[in-house]
């Protein structure tokens, strides 16, 4: 929001219509519609992908995984999802989900502390394979499992989708409360955002 307001101020100083410099789509999507009412929109449609692929990357350090997101975006994924050490550690202690941790690519050194799920869409299997190759060239040395079979992808996603149930299953009287639902962070600021947010919650004992 601050960046958008700066663009508006700059446009006014230049004597230009602020709306010509402002992309409201970013504001509306980032806030999930809470800052404006949309009464009409033009949509760009894309063909349904003929092929899908999922690459799963394993890291021994959460900050390293986050740092890799920006270069990974250069390979044009359809989605990038992060699984952090809190969920991984909870899953290891859970009889049902422990086996899904064992399916994750293990770092060469240290314990598994973060997983990146990188999904690709393509017009065919060859295009997905080319994206996989580009990904591995972008993150050399990072353990990677490739999946193109629908059932294998579903199994890989199981651990990611177990996050909230695992958090709510933590033993004891203190239970997690969702107080930050979603964020819209410029991806180049993601590492800094996570570090500073982690410091805040740590200071408050949560």
């Amino acid at each position: 929001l601050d960046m958008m307001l700066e663009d508006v101020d700059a446009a006014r100083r230049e004597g230009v219509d602020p709306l010509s410099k402002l992309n409201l789509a970013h504001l509306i999507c980032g806030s999930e519609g809470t800052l404006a009412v949309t009464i009409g929109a033009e949509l760009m449609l894309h063909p349904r992908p003929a092929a899908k692929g999922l690459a799963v990357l394993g890291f021994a350090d959460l900050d390293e995984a986050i740092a890799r997101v920006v270069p990974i975006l250069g390979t044009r994924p359809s989605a990038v999802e992060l699984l952090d050490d809190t969920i991984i550690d909870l899953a290891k202690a859970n009889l049902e989900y422990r086996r899904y941790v064992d399916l994750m690519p293990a770092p060469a050194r240290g314990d598994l502390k973060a997983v990146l799920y990188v999904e690709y869409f393509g017009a065919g299997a060859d295009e997905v394979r080319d994206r996989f190759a580009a990904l591995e060239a972008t993150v050399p040395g990072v353990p990677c499992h490739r999946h193109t079979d629908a059932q294998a992808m579903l199994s890989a996603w199981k651990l990611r989708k177990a996050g909230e149930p695992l958090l709510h299953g933590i033993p004891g009287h203190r239970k997690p409360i969702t107080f930050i639902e979603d964020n819209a962070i410029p991806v180049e600021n993601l590492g800094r955002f996570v570090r500073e947010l982690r410091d805040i919650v740590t200071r408050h004992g949560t």
Side-chain angles (χ1 to χ4, degrees):
L1 183 58
D2 289 341
M3 293 171 63
M4 291 185 173
L5 292 175
E6 288 173 8
D7 290 342
V8 169
D9 290 339
R12 285 175 176 155
R13 286 194 299 272
E14 296 168 11
V16 177
D17 178 6
L19 287 178
S20 68
K21 297 282 188 179
L22 191 62
N23 187 341
L24 292 177
H26 294 165
L27 182 65
I28 293 169
C29 292
S31 65
E32 298 193 342
T34 59
L35 299 181
V37 175
T38 304
I39 58 174
E42 287 186 19
L43 303 179
M44 181 185 297
L45 301 180
H46 295 272
R48 185 174 180 178
K52 294 181 182 181
L54 179 67
V56 184
L57 306 175
F59 297 87
D61 181 76
L62 177 62
D63 290 329
E64 182 192 356
I66 292 170
R68 301 286 187 142
V69 171
V70 171
I72 286 172
L73 291 178
T75 67
R76 297 168 56 208
S78 58
V80 180
E81 295 274 353
L82 172 71
L83 189 68
D84 70 6
D85 51 342
T86 301
I87 302 301
I88 291 169
D89 290 343
L90 288 171
K92 286 178 182 176
N94 183 285
L95 290 175
E96 181 181 353
Y97 290 104
R98 185 186 304 158
R99 60 196 174 104
Y100 294 113
V101 178
D102 294 337
L103 294 175
M104 297 294 106
R109 294 182 181 177
D111 295 329
L112 182 69
K113 292 295 181 182
V115 171
L116 283 179
Y117 293 85
V118 186
E119 185 181 57
Y120 293 100
F121 291 164
D126 288 344
E127 185 177 347
V128 171
R129 280 194 291 269
D130 289 345
R131 297 285 178 86
F132 282 155
L135 173 67
E136 292 182 1
T138 301
V139 290
V142 176
C144 177
H145 289 174
R146 302 174 171 196
H147 302 288
T148 53
D149 175 73
Q151 190 58 48
M153 286 190 281
L154 187 62
S155 294
W157 279 117
K158 288 275 189 184
L159 192 57
R160 175 68 181 82
K161 294 180 178 179
E164 193 160 337
L166 284 169
L167 282 172
H168 287 286
I170 294 174
H173 294 296
R174 292 191 74 192
K175 296 297 181 182
I177 296 174
T178 302
F179 67 101
I180 299 177
E181 184 65 29
D182 286 296
N183 296 289
I185 308 297
V187 69
E188 62 273 14
N189 297 339
L190 184 59
R192 176 186 162 201
F193 170 80
V194 171
R195 287 191 300 273
E196 293 184 5
L197 179 62
R198 189 188 301 149
D199 290 343
I200 291 170
V201 296
T202 300
R203 285 200 305 271
H204 289 275
T206 187

